[in-house]
Amino acid sequence: MAHTWLQGIRVLDFSWAAAGPYATLLLGFMGAEVLKVESRQRPDLSRRGFYSPAPLDASPEFHDLNVNKRSVGLNLSHPQGIELVQRLVPHCDVVVENFRPGVMQRLGLGYETLQALNPRIIMAAAAANGSTGPESAYPGYAGVFNALSGLGHLTGYADGPPTELRISMDLRVGMTLAFAVLTALYARRQTGVGQYVDLSAREAICCLIGHSFLHYTMNSEAPQRQGNDNASYAPHGCYRCIGQDAWVSIAAPTEAAWQALCQAMEHPEWQMDRRFRDVASRVEHRQALDALITAWTQQRTADAVTERLQQVGVAAYPTMNSATLAASEHLQARGAFLSVAHPLLGPQTVLAPFWRSSRSVQQAERSSPLLGEHTREVLRDLLNMTEQDMARLARDGVIECAEMPSASTGDADARKDRT
Amino acid sequence: MALAGLHVIELAEGIAGPYAAKLLADLGAEVIKIELPPDGDVARQYGPFPDHRPHPEQSGAFLYLNTNKQSFLLDLEAPEGQHLLRTLVAHADLLIEDRPPGWLAARQLDYATLQQRHPALVMVSLTRFGQEGPQAHFHGTPLTTAHAGGEAFTLPGRLSLDLFPEREPVQPGGMVSEYDSGLGAAVAALGALLSGHGQHIDVSQQEVLMNLNRPVMTHYFAQGDVVDRQRGYAYGGTIPCKDGYVLLRPIEDNHWQALARAMGRPELIEDARFRTRQARTEHGAVLNSLIIEWAMQQDKVELYERIASTGCPVGYFATAADVVHSPQLAAREFFIPSPHLDLSQVRLPSAPYRLSRTPWTLRRPAPRLGEHTRTILASLQRLAQ
């Protein structure tokens, strides 16, 4: 764990794929102990890889989203597996899940049950539409709530179709879920008891574009997508540079910035051009303006454009991709990238959490877990289970241990219940 | 209320910093928003405005981003104002600020100064490129920050690229990257507060945004492959219909079977071109043309309701009007009336999390400029005694 902010907080994590795991990744970076409940029958999607297939115990994508967590292999379709969860709950502070609404209740792990076992438990459930409402049973993925929230409609070219945002949608929801859990932890200090947190992924995204709805609730108007344009000022856009698929973003909100831009691009005559004489005119003639700017940028690299314009106080930055971000001296200097060794993959570059603290109390990250790597130590340490008990449970397919593979039992229905 | 007793000072404007403080205010924190004379927060000029008439007390962006806060109009160019802010901060738990690096130090308001008087203070500095590093001083706007974060390079995606092959990448819409940044700052703030230790937290908007695409970064580190706008779904995806677009994800066989039945084409289930995921991937173009032919006869909401109930993942690309009229969001009372005196009919988004014991509440509308200056000064005077 990177920080010790949540030292002593234990999270029982049933979540999978990206949204819930990003939330518990953040909690883990803050020092919480995260127990990830897994099984080989329905492994976390990221263990299979999002962009390229991977073995269950050697997925870089799983590793990045699950550093610091421990893996407890439990079969939730076995009554004894459920009983083990119920026995773990009194030792935990938070339960996180992103199954479809109703699944945890059907498993015997609904909030009423957990609260009776541990009044201090905070249960946080994330679902595409939340747990109530006429559409709450509908399945959801990132693409679905990107569309339903309105963000997809607002993204793209003005004369083009709407846009699918993908994995980032899940992590936005995960960040929102982490915030809600932290809020409940803060509240518990006052109240002494936990509570149930019902999160709708669709609504989470709506909140992140919240003021766009005011166009409608105020004036019955629905905003349309506008590419990189800004209705209030120009230049404001993305311009081609030297290189393959290389671009730079530039925005000059003030007269001073506009004048500095003209000087830096060595076209002082643009300041005299009637088409560009004030901000309203520049907006009106932005196509012509953008063509002129492109003629200058396309002879330079994005870095050179950025440096030149920043020198004179104009906002410019390359359109970054994963390669240029990884190579960024600025991000490297800030400690934005960590190396966390994985037992099978070796050292892997993993993103650091997005905050830095002046308090230097920090610990090294732990690797992401092998599936079932910590089952025995958790059951032994928290439930005082003996080796014989655990051997029997493994034989019966109730638990899975990384070094004690269990009989292959599984329930296809339980798999269908995943969001 | 969840965050009752948490005292927050906000020195920020626009979207990102104010959103971080709003998230806390809406859950019960006491948030004093410092606004600088003469005009306060620049978001008072963002709009939208009723009937398009600009008015600093009627800007939709400001009204949404500043619910539940108090406004303290304070001149921080004057030593007296700086002194008052130091006193205010000395009695607060958290300071959220978005000033350019160096601005606070020039006014004796930097962390080094503040923490001497108040070691338990948590201060969260949210800037586009962070407090330190070779680019910490860079000028930025929401556009350039969105492009700096990495997501713009992957947008809009293959459907648009096929139509417009030479065009530029685009920022995510709705100013979402600014909101993302504010949410990140709020997450870090609560974590630091729970630690019980005063500290200075440095949040870079660029890093919050880069983190939203962690798997894209991991794919590059592991495979050396850069995710770009060429990505698209092999089948399904964005499907045009009569009045707009739907998003279809018939990934698994059971999803596809449900969709085929909803289309009134059960015989397609046994069609060798579509029977397995692999087959559907290979024949994606043909499959999509069949789907589009059917979808073009129906409206998006109609399509959504017909398909979603069968268990096949589907969404419709919603405009603001669609979202405000959504029966699902109405059932959850997601949009609520504003308690604003003149604009009570204007509804605002509420929150996506329902906390069973300490719910989200809208106790007061966004403040008028300097509305609480007098009461705050009075309480500062009492503190000085």
Side-chain angles (χ1 to χ4, degrees):
Chain A
M1 31 213 105
H3 296 268
T4 56
W5 296 349
L6 299 184
Q7 199 159 17
I9 298 292
R10 186 176 286 122
V11 179
L12 192 57
D13 181 10
F14 294 90
S15 74
W16 73 314
Y22 184 50
T24 56
L25 178 73
L26 291 172
L27 299 175
F29 273 131
M30 293 180 179
E33 180 186 322
V34 179
L35 305 182
K36 193 179 168 74
V37 176
E38 303 197 79
S39 83
R40 220 161 286 273
Q41 279 72 52
R42 40 175 203 279
D44 194 336
L45 263 189
S46 63
R47 280 196 183 276
R48 296 202 190 281
F50 293 128
Y51 292 101
S52 35
L56 294 185
D57 277 332
S59 161
E61 287 146 350
F62 177 84
H63 182 63
D64 174 82
L65 284 176
N66 292 279
V67 292
N68 294 319
K69 301 179 196 176
R70 289 168 219 249
S71 175
V72 180
L74 292 178
N75 184 351
L76 298 181
S77 43
H78 197 297
Q80 278 187 275
I82 300 298
E83 194 204 298
L84 284 176
V85 172
Q86 292 172 345
R87 287 172 62 191
L88 285 171
V89 163
H91 299 274
C92 298
D93 300 278
V94 181
V95 168
V96 172
E97 61 101 349
N98 64 339
F99 294 129
R100 281 167 64 172
V103 168
M104 286 294 269
Q105 273 103 309
R106 276 201 298 283
L107 288 174
L109 299 174
Y111 178 62
E112 302 68 34
T113 306
L114 301 193
Q115 178 189 33
L117 292 166
N118 180 0
R120 287 174 59 77
I121 200 77
I122 290 159
M123 182 171 183
N129 285 290
S131 69
T132 60
E135 295 164 29
S136 57
Y138 295 168
Y141 291 93
V144 167
F145 51 84
N146 168 57
L148 292 174
S149 66
L151 176 53
H153 170 78
L154 291 176
T155 305
Y157 307 124
D159 56 350
T163 295
E164 301 155 14
L165 284 81
R166 306 201 328 183
I167 198 76
S168 63
M169 301 304 293
D170 287 310
L171 278 77
R172 287 182 166 94
V173 173
M175 202 163 47
T176 306
L177 183 59
F179 176 78
V181 169
L182 291 167
T183 295
L185 281 169
Y186 192 97
R188 193 178 71 170
R189 292 196 170 174
Q190 252 82 299
T191 64
V193 289
Q195 58 186 312
Y196 182 68
V197 179
D198 161 14
L199 176 69
S200 157
R202 172 184 186 171
E203 292 169 19
I205 308 304
C206 288
C207 287
L208 294 173
I209 53 170
H211 77 276
S212 64
F213 301 110
L214 276 283
H215 287 273
Y216 192 76
T217 62
M218 262 186 187
N219 297 321
S220 301
E221 290 168 3
Q224 303 302 315
R225 46 192 167 276
Q226 46 178 358
N228 292 303
D229 281 355
N230 184 322
S232 310
Y233 70 90
H236 189 280
C238 179
Y239 306 90
R240 198 180 274 280
C241 296
I242 283 178
Q244 163 81 340
D245 206 11
W247 306 86
V248 70
S249 60
I250 301 172
T254 63
E255 286 306 318
W258 162 242
Q259 282 156 24
L261 181 149
C262 293
Q263 300 294 330
M265 293 189 183
E266 294 174 85
H267 283 286
E269 75 283 5
W270 291 350
Q271 291 169 241
M272 300 300 125
D273 192 318
R274 283 207 81 242
R275 295 172 298 173
F276 311 138
R277 67 186 177 280
D278 56 28
V279 67
S281 308
R282 290 194 289 277
V283 170
E284 191 189 333
H285 298 107
R286 66 186 177 281
Q287 276 192 323
L289 180 51
D290 284 347
L292 290 170
I293 292 173
T294 298
W296 187 83
T297 61
Q298 70 187 5
Q299 294 170 40
R300 291 160 175 80
T301 65
D303 284 341
V305 171
T306 299
E307 194 185 323
R308 183 74 195 102
L309 291 177
Q310 288 287 350
Q311 260 168 15
V312 298
V314 176
Y317 208 92
T319 303
M320 302 297 276
N321 61 39
S322 46
T324 52
L325 285 167
S328 159
E329 283 174 22
H330 175 67
L331 290 174
Q332 285 168 14
R334 285 185 55 76
F337 306 111
L338 305 171
S339 181
V340 182
H342 182 279
L344 301 177
L345 294 167
Q348 297 289 293
T349 307
V350 153
L351 295 191
F354 48 76
W355 62 83
R356 302 289 118 71
S357 171
S358 61
R359 263 180 78 83
S360 58
V361 180
Q362 272 173 233
Q363 301 164 24
E365 274 64 39
R366 304 165 55 110
S367 174
S368 62
L370 305 175
L371 208 157
E373 183 177 342
H374 304 94
T375 311
R376 291 169 68 211
E377 100 187 26
V378 168
L379 295 180
R380 190 185 57 222
D381 294 348
L382 296 185
L383 303 185
N384 294 320
M385 205 164 276
T386 65
E387 289 298 324
Q388 287 133 304
D389 285 337
M390 290 193 278
R392 182 178 42 80
L393 289 170
R395 246 187 350 258
D396 294 346
V398 178
I399 68 174
E400 287 171 38
C401 310
E403 65 283 328
M404 287 167 60
S406 71
S408 184
T409 59
D411 183 1
D413 288 334
R415 192 181 332 175
K416 260 202 326 244
D417 280 335
R418 296 261 186 178
T419 301
Chain B
M1 295 179 297
L3 302 179
L6 175 61
H7 290 254
V8 183
I9 309 298
E10 173 203 321
L11 175 57
E13 62 173 356
I15 296 176
Y19 188 60
K22 167 195 166 67
L23 292 172
L24 304 174
D26 286 355
L27 287 162
E30 183 192 288
V31 175
I32 295 176
K33 181 185 176 77
I34 308 297
E35 294 197 71
L36 305 180
D39 299 320
D41 189 328
V42 66
R44 290 178 180 279
Q45 284 130 57
Y46 285 176
F49 301 100
D51 300 323
H52 303 279
R53 280 197 301 261
H55 188 299
E57 301 300 348
Q58 300 194 336
S59 160
F62 187 85
L63 294 178
Y64 171 63
L65 287 159
N66 295 282
T67 48
N68 290 309
K69 301 178 190 173
Q70 300 174 56
S71 170
F72 185 12
L73 187 64
L74 187 60
D75 181 6
L76 292 180
E77 301 314 308
E80 169 67 9
Q82 296 160 10
H83 169 74
L84 282 169
L85 183 54
R86 281 192 291 273
T87 305
L88 205 56
V89 169
H91 292 90
D93 302 298
L94 172 67
L95 169 64
I96 297 175
E97 66 90 13
D98 69 352
R99 304 291 86 190
W103 193 96
L104 293 172
R107 294 159 180 78
Q108 287 81 53
L109 293 168
D110 55 321
Y111 178 69
T113 307
L114 297 172
Q115 67 86 33
Q116 269 173 14
R117 185 167 166 188
H118 185 18
L121 176 71
V122 172
M123 177 164 155
V124 173
S125 296
L126 175 63
T127 55
R128 299 185 182 282
F129 300 102
Q131 298 291 300
E132 286 170 3
Q135 296 175 342
H137 63 287
F138 266 24
H139 299 271
T141 68
L143 174 75
T144 63
T145 309
H147 280 255
E151 185 158 27
F153 186 79
T154 70
L155 302 175
R158 208 178 62 212
L159 192 64
S160 289
L161 205 62
D162 288 345
L163 290 167
F164 309 111
E166 295 303 308
R167 280 205 194 164
E168 69 284 2
V170 296
Q171 61 182 344
M175 304 285 263
V176 70
S177 304
E178 293 293 292
Y179 284 94
D180 292 332
S181 305
L183 176 56
V187 165
L190 274 183
L193 285 165
L194 284 167
S195 79
H197 294 291
Q199 56 198 290
H200 188 196
I201 302 295
D202 170 10
V203 180
S204 140
Q205 290 188 229
Q206 181 185 33
E207 287 187 50
V208 174
L209 301 179
M210 179 174 68
N211 263 268
L212 292 177
N213 275 292
R214 288 185 78 104
V216 168
M217 295 301 296
T218 305
H219 183 58
Y220 173 74
F221 289 127
Q223 308 285 339
D225 188 48
V226 173
V227 173
D228 61 15
R229 297 182 301 298
Q230 289 293 342
R231 56 183 187 80
Y233 296 119
Y235 62 94
T238 302
I239 301 289
C241 58
K242 193 156 85 179
D243 66 341
Y245 296 84
V246 292
L247 190 293
L248 260 181
R249 296 287 280 129
I251 309 167
E252 307 296 346
D253 294 343
N254 58 314
H255 297 155
W256 158 240
Q257 287 157 18
L259 176 61
R261 280 187 215 103
M263 285 168 71
R265 304 287 304 270
E267 76 283 3
L268 290 177
I269 293 173
E270 288 313 309
D271 190 318
R273 296 171 295 171
F274 313 131
R275 198 185 309 121
T276 65
R277 190 168 175 175
Q278 173 76 4
R280 291 192 291 278
T281 300
E282 269 174 50
H283 301 102
V286 173
L287 177 50
N288 273 10
S289 60
L290 285 172
I291 294 173
I292 290 169
E293 201 186 315
W294 171 71
M296 285 302 288
Q297 295 161 47
Q298 293 156 91
D299 289 341
K300 62 193 180 192
V301 175
E302 193 189 323
L303 264 177
Y304 169 72
E305 276 161 7
R306 182 173 292 184
I307 299 171
S309 51
T310 70
C312 175
V314 60
Y316 55 89
F317 280 93
T319 64
D322 296 323
V323 175
V324 171
H325 290 301
S326 154
Q328 169 65 17
L329 296 188
R332 289 193 35 109
E333 296 179 339
F334 177 71
F335 286 98
I336 54 162
S338 167
H340 193 285
L341 279 174
D342 305 324
L343 299 172
S344 55
Q345 80 291 355
V346 173
R347 284 183 293 155
L348 302 175
S350 57
Y353 25 74
R354 309 299 150 106
L355 283 79
S356 61
R357 205 175 282 276
T358 57
W360 186 97
T361 57
L362 185 37
R363 301 178 308 288
R364 62 167 127 221
R368 294 190 308 282
L369 180 62
E371 182 178 343
H372 304 91
T373 302
R374 248 199 310 228
T375 51
I376 294 169
L377 281 174
S379 64
L380 276 172
Q381 265 146 31
R382 279 196 300 276
L383 282 173
Q385 281 146 18

